[in-house]
Amino acid sequence: MSSALDRQIKPIYDALETHSNKSAVVQCNKVLKKHPNNILVKALKALALVRQQKVEESLVLADEILALKPTDDAVLTAMMHVLRGLGRHSDIIAMFENAYKQNPLNEDLGTQTFFANVRVGNWKAAQQIAGKMHKQFHDDRYLYWNVYSAVLQANDPSTEAALRPVLLKLALRLISQCQTPSFYSTDRFYVHVLILRDLQLYDEAFALLNDEIGKRICAISLACDELRREIAKLRGAVKDEGDHARERILEKQDRNWLEFLSVLDATFWDISSTSEPSEEAIATVKEQIVKSRELFTQVGKEDGLKDRSGPLALLELAKRARVYGLSSDASELRTLVESYFSQFGDKACCYEDLVPYVDFEGEEFSKWTSFLNTQKQPADTTPGLRRLINVFKLQRYNLTSGELTPELETERAAEYVRQYLSGLALGSNLPDTELQPADDLAILAGHAYITLWKLTGEESHLHTAASLLDYASSRSRQSYQIRLLLIRIFQLLGAPSLALEQYRLMNVKQVQTDTLSHLILTRASMWSLAPLGDITYMSECMEASQIYMSNSQETAEFVARAFSTEKYSQIADFIVFEDRLDNSLQRDLMKIEHVRMRVANEQLNADLVDMELIELKFIFDRLHHDNRDFTVIPNYQPRGQPSLNEITLPVKMSPGMGWLSAYLKIYIKGFQLASDLDDTVEDKLLIGDRPKPSADPENQAPLNERLAIRKQEEIDDMTPEEQLFYEYASALSGWLAPYHDHVRPPPAALLAEAAKANDLKPGHPLKNLAAAQAANGSTTNGQSKKDDEPPAIKEPPELISKVFDELKARFDAEMNGQKLPSELLHIASITQEAFLFFALETVRFKQASVVKIHKLGNLVQSFKSIRERGQEVLTQMADELSKLAEQVATPEGRHKFVQASSSIQTDTGFHHDYVLNVAKKVTDSRKQTFEGISKGIRKVIKNHS
């Protein structure tokens, strides 16, 4: 390339680096006028177009460049980014393989070809390429790439079971043939031991780990040390591992909790390893218990207050001894718990440490309760306040069902609030970035008021909880636990905008959106004002989905880098991380909610139907992982009672795998009927690669068979209204399917129409459509009359005719029962969804020409009564919601809100005016929600009448 051309290309790179994609395209066009055949400039232009989401234009350039089989490194790099943006990973592999075949002595091309396969998990091809490179370039690094690719291929779910040991033995043989021993590198040693473990050659692995070099490696590598522990258990050397752990605890002062667990496992091994232990084994275990107790006591004395490992190990030892019936003193565990509390009661973690050990009964329970009562002391210092908080938490955990009365719970709530307000003085000088020491008292008070609401059904207790926690949040802006409670309470009160505000203030980022977005996006369509054009929740779904895009683009690159730097111990974790995010349950729950809102927001046309159908079919083939974090919601409820997460769900059921499966079936079947696409057309129009097929045997059956299967877990995950909608949607699809199949144009006509539209665009035709057009040789367009007679017109099933009446009856029952807004809005949203689903299923028959050609006049006539009843019911619901909106934001309603917490208000800080401000926010948000949902329903009726 000439220096003059270099100077012309440099501005293109500068524009791409600064994401000035339009400028990059302009610069590319300038250069291409003078050098029309320069494939590097074409590749850079394609990259800029991809970044501008101009997919079709970039596809034309990409196909043109690939046809030339480029070998230049700059072109290959640019094309790799282009094809990755288009989702054409198989083309990336083919491109690098072609380049490597043309230049077999180019080591860099071989490496890039290997990495291209690694990024998509194509381990078989990666192994073959690494083997070829090792023979050609004689670098041990490539041998270990070959070895670890074989290991990953063996662990891949799609690999046949009989082939797995063959691959592992091959990998082991390659390591044995390497001139450099594996222990020269920590990660190569890790791979060697990993293969021995997977081949169940535990003795050989143990020998490697326990020689002098192996011990040194395990001392500096946590991954190797973890593998050593696992192999010790697998070969039954638990006692040896326990002795090793004792040595590390005493001689090296190792306080890793895993060492203490190794000692505990070894102590009880003789009876835990068999279902019927002998008398001799029991006697041996008793001796070991004494030795372990002495060890942990010694550690506790040596460490004092600087480490909790010794006392915690004593607690775990006593608990296990009690479980196995080997406790010599019935009061030992309680005594240890009391000793632990006396020593560490002023630590914030004390409650979490002790909860697994305080399930006392009878006399022990009474003594433990009495002990806690003696620990209540004035909280005039921060340590004293933390001790008091731990007392309150443990006392609350011990509450019996008889003590959970409205009167006693009111007294406890008042005590928590009093101590909280007085405890704020201890944190008065802390900066805004610090948590208040008294925060947990506000959280405890929130628990008490929520429990009062469950006991009495009075919404005023939720008003009090909202006021207090809002004040606590203003005093401790970084307390995410307080915000979590506020999110749930605001949702229960029908103030979703305030819940969303609290969620955003938590500043959830990156992978946290996968684990925490369920807090605000579970059944988000229930709160959404999408019919009015408000896309707040749709945008929130898209923002929360960014982590999945980043994962698909970046995590595979981390795997390639780990291979490059030979960090083999990290690769498996990266692969698991990528898989859990790619197949995240929350990702697809959000997708379903986005689809539900999009159907309400947009016109029901082919673009929406076809795009969502293809994506939902991909989702239906996934084997999902539930990464949602529910434990992050604080839970200080009494033992045996439902958790706070369970009792504050806005809708009684939390969606899971079954819920997702049911809704996927509903909408895939609905979109299938409304769409003209079949598998043949879909394959021709699909731009990127299809996702890897799932290895789950259930997914091997044909799609329509899987859609027809009903599972109990689907029903168990749904509310009664959702179950009714599921039955209704299934009945509607079953009724209309024959008529859709009769009207739908043949695939040849669709492909010809798509090819014709493509011919009208500038540039080269897309190769899939060009091939399809050549094969079909057809230019058919529009509706054509079919020779066969239409199916006989049948009356709609009774469920379809009665569904709106049933939902209206349930709505009226909730209105009369004065239920929470969240429950009313749930029924209203399901009714609206049923109406929209009917519109989706019948949109094909809105064209008079279609009805006339196919003789479906009687069928369309039967739609009228169903649609009219749906409109009537929705109008009545909208009227009721409008009335509620008028009633809620009144001076009287705000006065009641303020009066609910009058007994705990103070003259300063948490005073009348502050609570009134909270009341205004809640009632205004509630009014906005009711009004918006009401107007949205009317807009839906108008759009689909």
Side-chain angles (χ1 to χ4, degrees):
M1 188 181 296
S2 66
S3 58
L5 186 56
D6 282 343
R7 286 195 298 272
Q8 294 179 52
I9 290 178
K10 186 177 183 302
I12 301 174
Y13 279 110
D14 293 340
L16 288 170
E17 286 179 5
T18 57
H19 298 282
S20 303
N21 299 310
K22 289 184 179 179
S23 176
V25 172
V26 172
Q27 294 291 337
C28 288
N29 288 335
K30 287 181 181 179
V31 178
L32 286 172
K33 284 182 180 179
K34 297 181 181 179
H35 307 277
N37 297 320
N38 190 299
I39 60 173
L40 173 58
V41 178
K42 289 183 178 181
L44 295 175
K45 181 181 178 181
L47 178 57
L49 290 170
V50 165
R51 290 181 176 180
Q52 290 180 275
Q53 304 297 315
K54 295 182 178 180
V55 175
E56 293 181 350
E57 293 179 52
S58 62
L59 277 171
V60 172
L61 284 171
D63 289 340
E64 180 183 342
I65 296 168
L66 288 176
L68 298 174
K69 298 185 178 180
T71 59
D72 181 73
D73 183 61
V75 176
L76 293 172
T77 302
M79 284 300 298
M80 178 178 69
H81 292 293
V82 171
L83 295 172
R84 189 183 297 173
L86 295 172
R88 294 170 60 173
H89 300 285
S90 58
D91 283 341
I92 297 176
I93 295 172
M95 179 182 69
F96 278 112
E97 285 179 347
N98 284 327
Y100 187 36
K101 286 177 183 177
Q102 294 179 58
N103 298 276
L105 298 180
N106 190 322
E107 191 172 353
D108 287 340
L109 282 178
T111 301
Q112 291 300 325
T113 307
F114 174 80
F115 287 158
N117 283 282
V118 161
R119 290 187 186 100
V120 297
N122 193 357
W123 306 120
K124 182 178 180 180
Q127 179 198 0
Q128 292 170 348
I129 294 166
K132 179 181 177 181
M133 292 177 68
H134 179 249
K135 290 178 182 178
Q136 194 165 4
F137 303 112
H138 306 290
D139 187 334
D140 286 347
R141 179 175 60 152
Y142 302 140
L143 181 139
Y144 275 88
W145 285 6
N146 182 358
V147 166
Y148 203 63
S149 295
V151 172
L152 293 172
Q153 185 185 350
N155 293 331
D156 194 290
S158 62
T159 302
E160 295 180 8
L163 185 58
R164 292 173 185 174
V166 176
L167 290 165
L168 293 171
K169 289 175 182 177
L170 171 64
L172 185 61
R173 190 172 75 231
L174 288 171
I175 289 178
S176 65
Q177 292 173 354
C178 183
Q179 295 181 354
T180 306
S182 63
F183 56 72
Y184 273 63
S185 163
T186 299
D187 277 85
R188 290 182 181 182
F189 182 78
Y190 170 84
V191 173
H192 191 175
V193 177
L194 183 70
I195 293 169
L196 292 172
R197 184 205 66 180
D198 290 348
L199 287 171
Q200 300 182 8
L201 300 174
Y202 304 133
D203 291 337
E204 291 182 32
F206 191 74
L208 272 179
L209 290 163
N210 280 275
D211 64 15
E212 194 62 31
I213 297 176
K215 288 180 180 178
R216 289 180 185 176
I217 290 176
C218 289
I220 62 173
S221 170
L222 288 175
C224 290
D225 192 51
E226 184 180 353
L227 205 53
R228 179 190 61 76
R229 295 175 193 277
E230 184 182 350
I231 289 170
K233 288 184 178 180
L234 289 170
R235 69 188 294 268
V238 174
K239 286 190 172 183
D240 293 339
E241 182 63 23
D243 293 338
H244 177 76
R246 287 173 190 270
E247 180 183 333
R248 290 181 63 86
I249 291 170
L250 290 174
E251 297 181 7
K252 299 186 178 181
Q253 302 297 306
D254 192 336
R255 294 300 180 261
N256 186 340
W257 182 243
L258 292 176
E259 304 294 354
F260 289 87
L261 289 179
S262 294
V263 173
L264 288 163
D265 291 340
T267 300
F268 295 94
W269 178 249
D270 286 330
I271 58 175
S272 63
S273 58
T274 178
S275 57
E276 297 181 2
S278 63
E279 292 295 328
E280 183 181 353
I282 294 173
T284 302
V285 170
K286 287 181 177 179
E287 293 176 6
Q288 291 298 319
I289 290 174
V290 174
K291 292 180 180 180
S292 297
R293 186 182 295 119
E294 292 172 355
L295 170 67
F296 299 148
T297 302
Q298 178 184 343
V299 170
K301 289 179 180 178
E302 291 177 357
D303 293 344
L305 294 176
K306 67 180 182 181
D307 195 280
R308 313 186 326 273
S309 302
L312 277 174
L314 281 171
L315 286 169
E316 184 64 24
L317 179 70
K319 181 182 178 181
R320 294 193 188 190
R322 175 178 285 197
V323 168
Y324 288 115
L326 300 177
S327 180
S328 56
D329 184 356
S331 63
E332 178 187 15
L333 182 58
R334 177 184 55 79
T335 304
L336 288 170
V337 168
E338 292 175 358
S339 172
Y340 187 91
F341 187 88
S342 300
Q343 193 174 6
F344 298 105
D346 56 357
K347 303 291 184 186
C349 59
C350 180
Y351 171 76
E352 284 74 17
D353 287 346
L354 290 182
V355 159
Y357 308 106
V358 295
D359 289 339
F360 299 121
E361 301 291 343
E363 185 180 354
E364 291 295 297
F365 175 78
S366 300
K367 291 181 178 180
W368 167 238
T369 303
S370 300
F371 170 79
L372 287 176
N373 291 333
T374 64
Q375 296 299 306
K376 286 187 178 180
Q377 298 174 2
D380 48 6
T381 64
T382 299
L385 180 62
R386 284 199 292 261
R387 185 175 290 272
L388 179 65
I389 289 171
N390 284 322
V391 169
F392 282 146
K393 288 179 180 177
L394 289 165
Q395 284 182 326
R396 185 165 185 81
Y397 181 77
N398 284 334
L399 292 177
T400 62
S401 56
E403 294 173 300
L404 284 175
T405 63
E407 295 76 19
L408 293 175
E409 197 68 350
T410 301
E411 292 177 11
R412 283 188 283 268
E415 176 69 6
Y416 297 150
V417 174
R418 185 179 67 81
Q419 293 290 352
Y420 169 71
L421 295 174
S422 63
L424 286 174
L426 295 173
S428 58
N429 296 324
L430 291 175
D432 289 344
T433 53
E434 296 294 319
L435 298 175
Q436 287 288 327
D439 281 347
D440 282 359
L441 286 165
I443 293 172
L444 282 167
H447 279 66
Y449 285 118
I450 290 170
T451 303
L452 278 167
W453 160 66
K454 291 299 290 184
L455 291 171
T456 64
E458 295 176 8
E459 192 179 308
S460 59
H461 296 300
L462 291 179
H463 297 166
T464 306
S467 303
L468 177 66
L469 290 169
D470 189 89
Y471 176 69
S473 179
S474 70
R475 296 299 302 268
S476 185
R477 300 186 184 279
Q478 304 302 319
S479 177
Y480 73 91
Q481 290 189 317
I482 292 175
R483 297 197 188 281
L484 290 172
L485 288 185
L486 279 171
I487 288 171
R488 283 296 178 84
I489 291 171
F490 285 146
Q491 287 177 332
L492 288 170
L493 290 174
S497 61
L498 297 182
L500 183 58
E501 178 185 339
Q502 292 295 328
Y503 176 77
R504 288 173 172 170
L505 287 171
M506 288 170 59
N507 199 24
V508 172
K509 293 180 179 179
Q510 297 298 324
V511 75
Q512 292 174 332
T513 57
D514 182 52
T515 58
L516 296 179
S517 60
H518 68 89
L519 293 166
I520 205 71
L521 295 178
T522 295
R523 293 189 175 92
S525 56
M526 181 173 75
W527 315 110
S528 173
L529 305 182
L532 296 179
D534 184 339
I535 59 171
T536 300
Y537 278 95
M538 293 177 70
S539 300
E540 201 67 37
C541 286
M542 297 304 294
E543 288 177 22
S545 298
Q546 291 302 309
I547 181 59
Y548 307 115
M549 298 296 293
S550 300
N551 174 59
S552 63
Q553 295 171 4
E554 296 173 9
T555 310
E557 194 62 40
F558 293 153
V559 175
R561 289 181 191 175
F563 267 104
S564 180
T565 55
E566 292 200 85
K567 297 296 183 183
Y568 302 112
S569 58
Q570 300 175 2
I571 291 173
D573 290 336
F574 281 134
I575 292 171
V576 170
F577 179 82
E578 182 180 25
D579 178 61
R580 290 193 71 91
L581 277 182
D582 272 346
N583 299 294
S584 166
L585 174 65
Q586 178 59 17
R587 173 185 188 170
D588 294 332
L589 289 174
M590 282 193 298
K591 176 60 186 176
I592 289 293
E593 291 304 315
H594 188 268
V595 169
R596 297 170 81 184
M597 291 184 280
R598 191 179 177 195
V599 167
N601 174 255
E602 299 181 22
Q603 184 179 355
L604 299 176
N605 55 31
D607 288 342
L608 182 153
V609 170
D610 295 346
M611 184 185 301
E612 298 297 356
L613 172 61
I614 292 172
E615 192 163 349
L616 293 184
K617 284 166 70 175
F618 288 164
I619 292 172
F620 195 50
D621 289 336
R622 288 179 183 155
L623 189 62
H624 289 90
H625 303 288
D626 191 353
N627 306 325
R628 295 173 297 174
D629 189 354
F630 295 103
T631 61
V632 70
I633 300 173
N635 181 46
Y636 301 124
Q637 290 296 88
R639 59 178 174 174
Q641 297 295 320
S643 69
L644 195 79
N645 169 56
E646 294 171 329
I647 64 177
T648 57
L649 287 170
V651 177
K652 295 173 184 177
M653 307 295 297
S654 179
M657 304 281 190
W659 189 95
L660 175 63
S661 174
Y663 265 84
L664 282 171
K665 290 176 181 178
I666 289 170
Y667 277 99
I668 289 174
K669 192 63 180 174
F671 288 140
Q672 265 188 336
L673 296 183
S675 172
D676 290 338
L677 295 183
D678 67 359
D679 290 342
T680 306
V681 179
E682 185 182 312
D683 284 336
K684 296 294 183 183
L685 298 181
L686 192 63
I687 292 172
D689 298 336
R690 283 187 176 274
K692 277 186 177 180
S694 170
D696 187 356
E698 287 189 13
N699 290 348
Q700 307 308 312
L703 175 64
N704 287 334
E705 288 184 18
R706 291 163 55 206
L707 292 175
I709 297 173
R710 292 290 184 89
K711 298 179 181 177
Q712 186 59 41
E713 66 172 333
E714 296 172 352
I715 305 303
D716 294 342
D717 267 1
M718 304 175 88
T719 65
E721 291 73 33
E722 288 169 339
Q723 292 175 25
L724 179 62
F725 174 64
Y726 189 13
E727 297 292 337
Y728 157 80
S730 300
L732 184 61
S733 297
W735 174 45
L736 295 178
Y739 312 112
H740 280 283
D741 293 340
H742 177 75
V743 172
R744 185 178 293 110
L750 291 173
L751 290 171
E753 185 175 348
K756 182 179 178 181
N758 185 61
D759 288 342
L760 298 176
K761 296 176 181 176
H764 300 276
L766 300 182
K767 60 181 183 181
N768 281 357
L769 290 180
Q773 189 178 26
N776 292 318
S778 172
T779 58
T780 305
N781 191 15
Q783 291 291 334
S784 59
K785 187 172 181 179
K786 295 191 176 181
D787 295 334
D788 53 331
E789 287 295 314
I793 306 301
K794 295 182 180 179
E795 289 296 314
E798 184 179 2
L799 176 59
I800 298 174
S801 306
K802 302 294 184 183
V803 66
F804 294 106
D805 293 323
E806 176 63 25
L807 287 168
K808 181 63 170 65
R810 297 186 186 195
F811 184 85
D812 292 341
E814 294 291 338
M815 287 288 295
N816 296 332
Q818 296 182 339
K819 297 293 184 180
L820 287 173
S822 56
E823 297 175 3
L824 283 173
L825 294 177
H826 175 62
I827 298 174
S829 69
I830 292 294
T831 309
Q832 176 181 284
E833 188 173 16
F835 184 77
L836 284 167
F837 195 79
F838 184 81
L840 173 69
E841 295 285 68
T842 57
V843 69
R844 183 191 298 277
F845 308 106
K846 290 183 73 173
Q847 296 182 35
S849 59
V850 173
V851 177
K852 183 177 180 180
I853 290 172
H854 298 284
K855 303 176 184 178
L856 297 175
N858 291 337
L859 175 70
V860 173
Q861 191 64 29
S862 66
F863 297 162
K864 186 176 180 181
S865 60
I866 300 172
R867 185 181 291 111
E868 287 179 349
R869 184 53 185 157
Q871 292 172 347
E872 184 182 344
V873 167
L874 282 172
T875 301
Q876 292 171 0
M877 288 184 178
D879 291 341
E880 293 291 343
L881 292 175
S882 294
K883 292 177 184 177
L884 288 174
E886 294 171 2
Q887 297 169 7
V888 69
T890 60
E892 294 79 9
R894 289 169 183 160
H895 176 72
K896 288 182 180 179
F897 193 109
V898 174
Q899 284 300 111
S901 59
S902 59
S903 62
I904 59 172
Q905 292 172 20
T906 60
D907 295 332
T908 58
F910 187 61
H911 47 66
H912 175 277
D913 290 347
Y914 187 92
V915 178
L916 179 60
N917 184 51
V918 176
K920 288 179 180 177
K921 289 195 300 183
V922 173
T923 53
D924 287 349
S925 175
R926 200 164 170 174
K927 179 181 180 181
Q928 177 189 11
T929 301
F930 283 142
E931 279 185 347
I933 297 294
S934 176
K935 290 178 181 177
I937 289 173
R938 290 189 170 92
K939 184 74 175 291
V940 166
I941 294 171
K942 181 180 177 182
N943 290 343
H944 301 282
S945 60

